[in-house]
């Protein structure tokens, strides 16, 4: 009896200790700029603890921002920080004006982010990047990043689902419903999941960026699959 009592006390202390060491991940909107910045505005959510989980999440978000500001081939990027990528973007404009002094074009870049879903096991962040570097029109791109809340690591789209082919089947039905009133020239027999999939309070978001499956004029195609339909195929936040 006494042995069982001590065992119970030990379990209670273990539970209390576990709760105290489980640091919640909270986010704060953070603005980035640089000393010589003229054209770039960045407002993104960053995790506000010093844990390895928060550092992993923040690194992935910052890397996505650096990628969005890269001019030219991504493999040629030299920026090691968001501030450096801002400086590089401004320097590229200076180089452009040096080559084309008669141009009246001004460049711009706007990157905004928000936490669109946060649960015990998964966190989803949306980053919207608009850049204009003098072309016929600017470029708008939305990225959905999913993080394992326990590790802070990015989750590959395939790892979101226990049965990706089953999910793909219901996704196609919702996709067809979402575009039924739109005049789109698409090959509907070769349906593919988009590059960007994320969680929201209303269910699973599927988002095709411009040019991903349709011409520029079509714009972004986005639709939502309610949790009640998606849950049988999900690995995270099933209950």
């Amino acid at each position: 009896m006494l042995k069982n009592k001590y065992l119970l006390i030990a379990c209670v202390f273990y539970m209390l200790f576990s709760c105290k060491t489980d640091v919640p991940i909270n986010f704060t909107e953070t603005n980035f700029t640089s000393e010589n910045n003229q054209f770039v505005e960045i407002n993104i959510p960053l995790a506000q603890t010093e844990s390895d989980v928060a550092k992993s999440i923040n690194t992935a978000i910052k890397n996505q921002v650096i990628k969005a500001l890269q001019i030219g081939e991504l493999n040629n990027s030299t920026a090691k920080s968001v501030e450096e990528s801002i400086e590089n973007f401004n320097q590229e404009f200076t180089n452009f004006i040096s080559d084309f002094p008669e141009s009246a074009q001004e460049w711009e870049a706007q990157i905004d982010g928000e936490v669109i879903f946060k649960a015990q096991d998964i966190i989803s962040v949306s980053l919207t990047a608009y850049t204009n570097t003098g072309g016929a029109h600017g470029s708008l791109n939305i990225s959905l990043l999913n993080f394992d809340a326990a590790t802070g690591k990015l989750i590959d789209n395939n790892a979101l689902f226990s049965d990706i082919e089953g999910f793909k089947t219901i996704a196609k039905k919702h996709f067809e419903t979402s575009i039924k009133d739109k005049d789109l020239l698409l090959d509907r027999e070769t349906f593919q999941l988009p590059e960007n999939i994320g969680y929201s309070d209303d269910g699973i978001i599927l988002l095709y960026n411009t040019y991903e499956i349709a011409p520029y004029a079509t714009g972004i195609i986005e639709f939502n699959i309610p949790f009640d339909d998606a849950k049988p195929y999900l690995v995270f936040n099933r209950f």
Side-chain angles (χ1 to χ4, degrees):
M1 184 73 176
L2 188 60
K3 181 179 179 180
N4 290 338
K5 180 180 179 181
Y6 284 130
L7 181 61
L8 177 61
I9 293 173
C11 289
V12 170
F13 273 105
Y14 174 79
M15 292 173 65
L16 291 173
F17 179 78
S18 298
C19 291
K20 289 180 180 178
T21 57
D22 183 15
V23 180
I25 301 296
N26 295 313
F27 291 82
T28 299
E29 183 176 287
T30 305
N31 173 264
F32 284 88
T33 189
S34 67
E35 183 178 355
N36 301 307
N37 181 33
Q38 301 179 67
F39 311 116
V40 180
E41 184 173 348
I42 298 174
N43 298 285
I44 56 174
L46 293 180
Q48 294 302 299
T49 72
E50 293 299 320
S51 67
D52 290 340
V53 173
K55 290 177 182 178
S56 180
I57 291 172
N58 290 344
T59 296
I61 292 174
K62 290 176 182 178
N63 285 343
Q64 190 66 34
V65 171
I66 292 172
K67 178 181 175 182
L69 290 177
Q70 172 64 22
I71 305 296
E73 296 294 329
L74 291 176
N75 293 336
N76 295 332
S77 176
T78 60
K80 299 296 189 295
S81 68
V82 172
E83 292 84 356
E84 187 176 354
S85 69
I86 294 173
E87 285 290 316
N88 289 350
F89 188 92
N90 281 269
Q91 184 59 49
E92 287 289 343
F93 173 75
T94 300
N95 296 341
F96 171 78
I97 290 298
S98 177
D99 293 337
F100 304 96
E102 72 284 357
S103 175
Q105 177 68 44
E106 288 195 357
W107 291 13
E108 63 176 315
Q110 172 84 37
I111 302 176
D112 296 297
E114 63 175 324
V115 178
I116 57 175
F117 188 83
K118 188 169 72 167
Q120 186 175 2
D121 55 353
I122 188 170
I123 298 168
S124 293
V125 174
S126 172
L127 294 177
T128 301
Y130 173 80
T131 58
N132 190 337
T133 56
H137 48 71
S139 173
L140 178 66
N141 187 275
I142 298 176
S143 301
L144 301 179
L145 308 178
N146 300 294
F147 297 96
D148 187 320
T151 66
K153 301 299 183 183
L154 274 171
I155 304 170
D156 183 80
N157 282 348
N158 290 335
L160 292 172
F161 307 105
S162 57
D163 177 4
I164 193 166
E165 290 303 320
F167 179 79
K168 187 176 176 181
T169 298
I170 66 162
K172 182 178 181 181
K173 295 178 182 178
H174 283 272
F175 173 76
E176 294 286 353
T177 299
S178 71
I179 65 170
K180 66 179 181 180
D181 296 327
K182 299 178 181 179
D183 184 19
L184 300 178
L185 296 176
L186 300 173
D187 182 0
R188 304 190 182 191
E189 297 303 316
T190 58
F191 173 79
Q192 296 294 326
L193 293 174
E195 293 182 6
N196 288 283
I197 300 173
Y199 277 64
S200 74
D201 290 336
D202 297 322
I204 305 300
I205 299 172
L206 288 88
L207 185 147
Y208 298 90
N209 275 300
T210 306
Y211 290 125
E212 189 172 344
I213 60 170
Y216 173 82
T218 302
I220 291 171
I221 299 174
E222 178 183 352
F223 62 100
N224 185 79
I225 300 179
F227 278 122
D228 285 346
D229 293 344
K231 276 183 179 180
Y233 312 99
L234 300 180
V235 172
F236 298 89
N237 195 52
R238 295 189 59 198
F239 306 103

